[in-house]
Amino acid sequence: MSEFWLISAPGDKENLQALERMNTVTSKSNLSYNTKFSIPDFKVGTLDSLVGLSDELGKLDTFAESLIKRMAQSVVEVMEDSKGKVPENLLANGGLKEKLKCLKIDLTSFVTHFEWDMAKYPAKQPLVSVVDTLAKQLAQIETDLKSRTAAYNTLKTNLENLEKKSMGNLFTRTLSDIVSKEDFVLDSEYLVTLLVIVPKPSYAQWQKTYESLSDMVVPRSTKLIAEDNEGGLFTVTLFRKVIDDFKTKAKENKFTVREFYYDEKEIKREREELSRLLSDKKQQYGPLLRWLKVNFSEAFIAWIHIKALRVFVESVLSPAGPAVLCSASRSCQTRGGCPALRGRLRPAPCTCRGLATPRGNTSTVSVLDL
């Protein structure tokens, strides 16, 4: 799992000395890999508005994290048969540079090459408007996510329930995909065909005794039509009026009469329903996965912009005044100490669990381990 710290620190006009100083300190113990994380200057507004934005951004940060995790989990669930390909579907748009616009890059690269999207979130607008745009974007993605995944999950559940009927042993599974019209005597006023489950060790006993289990059993009417590990499914034809007597005698001999009525229309309906659900799932799979890929990227990009805004707002609110440098640090080992920097780093406290927690005088953001 890659962990990132967004650090705001005092810097020179070109923001080079602070980054060089950080590189010098951290490289000695291989503490981190540092890159410049550019944040534009925003219209700050009043102190009261900044304090309110700080609270709002904290909540929006948590919401964005939760949304991204749900979207990632949805990709995993949709790609249930291709889970090894999940990471290649959780990417972000390459960036703002012309050559990268159509490329998808991994999340780590996006953070370390972050550029503020001026087209989507104009820095000239008041901060309140920028935050409102981000909040509305994420809210719309969540609404669409709920409706799209709910429809797909309902379809998936119905299909699984129907497929479960074809699982299990002969005592519990549906028989509609096993039997055929030719196995039964149909439309007879006097005769009926029963299905009997016979344990495998009792096949010979069944063949010897089924005709004598009751009066009026049609001779040589039994036929094995299906088997599982425990036994076989046999047909037997007899007169309707001796059904109860036959069932009682069969039970005494450890033969189980399986209740089943052959209804050609119902069997056809079940098969058509299964075929329809399989077709609908296949049709929905592609569009849903494409939507998840595109909007996961959009949500992730929005989330990193929210992180940038949090660092900016907290830096402005800090006693030292606005920060002139933001650097993304990818941590390589325990950050027990950067004493040479610690005194100069400005606090940018974040409150969401695990993703941006205070570490001394810095704040951190972890890229999801997907």
Side-chain angles (χ1 to χ4, degrees):
M1 182 175 182
S2 300
E3 183 179 81
F4 292 82
W5 290 14
L6 297 186
I7 303 171
S8 63
D12 58 288
K13 186 175 181 180
E14 299 297 328
N15 295 336
L16 295 176
Q17 291 181 7
L19 183 57
E20 288 175 2
R21 180 173 169 76
M22 186 180 296
N23 287 334
T24 299
V25 173
T26 58
S27 62
K28 291 179 181 178
S29 302
N30 194 27
L31 290 174
S32 63
Y33 169 71
N34 310 312
T35 58
K36 191 173 178 180
F37 190 89
S38 300
I39 300 176
D41 290 326
F42 296 98
K43 291 185 177 181
V44 174
T46 65
L47 179 62
D48 286 344
S49 66
L50 279 180
V51 172
L53 273 179
S54 178
D55 294 336
E56 186 177 346
L57 282 168
K59 295 175 183 177
L60 192 57
D61 191 348
T62 303
F63 172 68
E65 173 201 355
S66 171
L67 178 60
I68 290 167
K69 286 184 176 180
R70 281 180 282 155
M71 296 187 77
Q73 183 58 36
S74 293
V75 172
V76 172
E77 292 171 357
V78 170
M79 300 186 69
E80 54 189 331
D81 298 324
S82 307
K83 290 186 177 179
K85 296 183 178 181
V86 167
E88 65 191 57
N89 288 280
L90 296 176
L91 303 173
N93 287 332
L96 302 180
K97 294 179 181 177
E98 195 63 36
K99 292 182 179 179
L100 296 177
K101 278 185 177 179
C102 297
L103 296 179
K104 293 285 187 178
I105 61 175
D106 64 88
L107 308 184
T108 295
S109 296
F110 180 85
V111 174
T112 55
H113 296 84
F114 174 77
E115 296 179 47
W116 186 270
D117 192 336
M118 292 291 187
K120 278 188 179 179
Y121 318 111
K124 292 182 180 180
Q125 290 186 353
L127 271 177
V128 174
S129 299
V130 176
V131 174
D132 185 58
T133 299
L134 285 161
K136 288 180 178 178
Q137 180 188 5
L138 292 174
Q140 185 60 53
I141 291 175
E142 184 193 39
T143 299
D144 292 345
L145 175 67
K146 287 180 178 179
S147 61
R148 288 172 181 268
T149 55
Y152 186 80
N153 288 335
T154 298
L155 175 62
K156 184 179 174 182
T157 300
N158 291 339
L159 181 58
E160 289 174 349
N161 290 338
L162 205 55
E163 288 177 333
K164 282 179 182 178
K165 292 183 179 180
S166 300
M167 301 176 184
N169 56 33
L170 292 172
F171 291 92
T172 58
R173 61 160 294 156
T174 182
L175 303 179
S176 59
D177 60 335
I178 293 177
V179 300
S180 63
K181 185 176 180 180
E182 291 71 26
D183 296 325
F184 297 85
V185 174
L186 301 173
D187 304 322
S188 172
E189 183 180 352
Y190 301 104
L191 295 175
V192 65
T193 299
L194 300 181
L195 297 177
V196 183
I197 300 172
V198 179
K200 280 190 174 180
S202 303
Y203 280 9
Q205 180 189 355
W206 167 257
Q207 293 287 355
K208 290 179 182 179
T209 62
Y210 80 91
E211 294 180 7
S212 60
L213 289 177
S214 179
D215 296 334
M216 299 183 175
V217 175
V218 177
R220 296 185 296 280
S221 63
T222 192
K223 179 176 68 172
L224 176 65
I225 59 174
E227 283 185 296
D228 62 14
N229 294 331
E230 300 173 8
L233 186 68
F234 288 81
T235 61
V236 60
T237 302
L238 57 150
F239 280 74
R240 291 182 180 275
K241 64 181 181 179
V242 298
I243 289 178
D244 290 339
D245 183 52
F246 183 88
K247 287 181 178 179
T248 300
K249 296 293 180 58
K251 187 175 180 180
E252 291 174 358
N253 286 271
K254 298 183 179 179
F255 305 139
T256 304
V257 177
R258 175 75 191 270
E259 297 293 339
F260 182 82
Y261 174 71
Y262 186 87
D263 185 333
E264 193 167 15
K265 291 182 178 179
E266 180 63 19
I267 291 174
K268 183 180 179 181
R269 188 198 65 77
E270 281 190 17
R271 290 173 179 170
E272 288 177 347
E273 177 69 3
L274 178 60
S275 177
R276 183 188 66 80
L277 289 173
L278 286 169
S279 177
D280 288 350
K281 184 182 178 185
K282 186 176 181 180
Q283 289 178 3
Q284 289 190 26
Y285 173 85
L288 177 58
L289 182 59
R290 285 192 293 273
W291 184 91
L292 285 168
K293 289 166 63 176
V294 170
N295 285 275
F296 174 85
S297 173
E298 291 296 310
F300 181 82
I301 291 170
W303 184 43
I304 301 305
H305 280 74
I306 292 167
K307 290 292 187 185
L309 285 174
R310 292 194 73 185
V311 173
F312 177 85
V313 170
E314 297 297 341
S315 297
V316 173
L317 289 174
S318 70
V324 291
L325 167 73
C326 281
S327 177
S329 298
R330 183 180 181 184
S331 182
C332 300
Q333 43 184 276
T334 304
R335 294 73 170 173
C338 287
L341 285 179
R342 198 175 281 167
R344 298 193 62 192
L345 294 178
R346 296 184 181 163
C350 302
T351 55
C352 62
R353 179 178 59 83
L355 292 171
T357 53
R359 301 291 181 94
N361 290 327
T362 68
S363 66
T364 69
V365 51
S366 299
V367 174
L368 294 177
D369 184 17
L370 301 173

